[in-house]
Amino acid sequence: MGEKDRIKRVGGGKVGKVIVCETKVAKNPFCFQETGQKFYSYEELCYYICQYPALFQVDFVTDELIEWLQKEIKAYTLAEKLAYLKRDNVQSRAQVLTILEAYPYLSPKDIRAVIERLDLLHLKEPWLQKRYYADALYKAGKPQQALKIYDHLVYEIPEREENYQWLAAVWHAKGSCLAKDMQYEEAAKSFKKACEYGNYEKSRKSYWITLYLLGKQEEIKEDIAQNNIPIEKYSDFIEEMKRKEETLVDYKDYQRLERACTLKEEGNQKEYQKMMKNLSAKWKQEYRENTRIR
């Protein structure tokens, strides 16, 4: 196997990692349905399990995975073992352990750490397992899928004082998903709800940022007054946002581009073309203004 064949890049969301592959590299990747992540090697699959164990807390071995292991990377023994586990409905913990121990990519210590994290997840309340699963989806660059889970979780978590920190965290996470999708009105409502349960600084600031993006600075002042926050905080916040104004404009364009790509993946070509046309027109106009071309 040549050096180019042995090195592949894998990673969730925006961050990638270079992995040296000692096993065969597939010509055709396996696509993990939950996130759309594609794997070309056994090592990439192991790395992904280590990064996002919460995504593997339920049975995940499919006929497609078994076939890919056999045909693409020639991992016949591993494929046979997984087929046996799938046939006997063995829990995901055993499936993960079988994969991680198949080849000497991870140390025994690393494997134990992953299994311990899975065991801890299984001991938690069902709604908390879902929360970690949704968090893993968000971290893996799938906020829209995570949002569907958060939508249910905010009503599934028992509304008791000992759960307020979890409710605050889930409402905040829901707001982050909505903000990433440029649904600022709904995001602001979610961040405000998070503040009601936890009054954490990050939720408060996220709430103010969404209001600022909506042009609702008066509501920021009202929130400061209602919560007995020193008025100086408002001036400091506005100054900070003005310093970041250019960055915010670029970030909003980036969000629009991400949204357009999602629409394309979902097969919504009409909306995708519309968003790309608007973005292209905006960027052309900015270029003309910056270069004084009329």
Side-chain angles (χ1 to χ4, degrees):
M1 185 183 295
E3 189 65 22
K4 288 184 179 178
D5 295 325
R6 293 174 61 247
I7 297 178
K8 288 288 175 181
R9 183 174 293 275
V10 67
K14 311 295 177 293
V15 181
K17 178 181 177 67
V18 173
I19 293 177
V20 177
C21 301
E22 297 296 342
T23 56
K24 181 178 174 59
V25 176
K27 289 183 179 179
N28 301 301
F30 171 72
C31 183
F32 185 54
Q33 290 187 349
E34 296 297 324
T35 61
Q37 179 67 50
K38 294 180 179 180
F39 308 115
Y40 285 86
S41 70
Y42 165 81
E43 288 83 357
E44 290 178 348
L45 176 58
C46 289
Y47 171 77
Y48 205 67
I49 292 173
C50 293
Q51 290 296 301
Y52 310 110
L55 296 178
F56 298 88
Q57 59 184 308
V58 294
D59 296 344
F60 62 92
V61 172
T62 61
D63 292 335
E64 289 77 15
L65 174 59
I66 293 170
E67 184 179 358
W68 178 78
L69 289 168
Q70 290 175 328
K71 293 185 176 180
E72 291 293 334
I73 65 172
K74 312 302 180 187
Y76 300 115
T77 302
L78 174 57
E80 185 179 345
K81 288 180 179 178
L82 290 178
Y84 173 80
L85 294 175
K86 182 177 183 294
R87 189 166 55 247
D88 285 12
N89 295 315
V90 177
Q91 64 178 2
S92 60
R93 181 187 190 277
Q95 297 172 354
V96 169
L97 186 60
T98 299
I99 291 172
L100 298 183
E101 290 183 336
Y103 296 95
Y105 171 63
L106 296 172
S107 69
K109 181 180 178 181
D110 289 336
I111 293 173
R112 280 197 305 273
V114 174
I115 297 302
E116 285 172 5
R117 288 169 70 185
L118 278 175
D119 288 343
L120 283 173
L121 283 170
H122 283 297
L123 291 173
K124 296 184 183 298
E125 296 280 356
W127 55 263
L128 195 50
Q129 292 180 29
K130 290 180 185 177
R131 182 264 166 115
Y132 286 121
Y133 183 76
D135 288 351
L137 283 172
Y138 183 85
K139 184 182 175 185
K142 296 296 175 180
Q144 289 183 320
Q145 289 174 242
L147 178 60
K148 293 176 184 177
I149 299 173
Y150 292 134
D151 274 338
H152 292 289
L153 273 177
V154 291
Y155 300 109
E156 280 184 33
I157 300 175
E159 194 163 347
R160 298 192 294 264
E161 190 172 350
E162 62 265 29
N163 292 335
Y164 282 1
Q165 62 171 327
W166 299 112
L167 283 162
V170 171
W171 276 108
H172 182 95
K174 180 180 177 180
S176 297
C177 291
L178 290 163
K180 205 167 183 63
D181 198 38
M182 300 179 69
Q183 299 182 52
Y184 297 126
E185 288 279 2
E186 293 303 313
K189 293 176 185 176
S190 293
F191 288 132
K192 185 176 182 180
K193 199 74 176 175
C195 292
E196 291 173 6
Y197 282 109
N199 196 26
Y200 297 116
E201 185 177 347
K202 69 172 185 177
S203 296
R204 181 76 57 194
K205 190 166 185 179
S206 296
Y207 176 48
W208 291 355
I209 290 172
T210 50
L211 290 177
Y212 183 88
L213 291 171
L214 291 165
K216 297 183 177 181
Q217 296 186 20
E218 287 302 314
E219 290 191 28
I220 300 175
K221 289 182 181 179
E222 290 174 14
D223 185 67
I224 286 173
Q226 289 171 3
N227 290 280
N228 298 316
I229 299 170
I231 192 62
E232 294 80 15
K233 286 280 187 180
Y234 175 77
S235 301
D236 293 342
F237 172 75
I238 295 300
E239 285 181 17
E240 180 186 351
M241 295 307 291
K242 285 181 178 178
R243 288 196 301 271
K244 293 180 177 178
E245 196 74 55
E246 187 174 337
T247 304
L248 280 171
V249 171
D250 292 340
Y251 177 63
K252 289 174 78 171
D253 281 352
Y254 175 71
Q255 284 184 304
R256 291 188 183 98
L257 188 59
E258 269 199 328
R259 178 62 181 147
C261 291
T262 301
L263 288 169
K264 186 178 181 182
E265 289 176 5
E266 293 172 349
N268 194 338
Q269 288 292 329
K270 185 177 180 181
E271 286 300 315
Y272 165 73
Q273 295 290 347
K274 181 180 177 181
M275 286 196 76
M276 291 305 298
K277 184 178 179 180
N278 290 339
L279 272 173
S280 179
K282 179 178 181 292
W283 290 335
K284 285 179 182 177
Q285 181 62 30
E286 289 175 353
Y287 175 77
R288 292 191 189 100
E289 290 174 358
N290 291 334
T291 56
R292 299 188 181 279
I293 296 175
R294 296 291 184 267

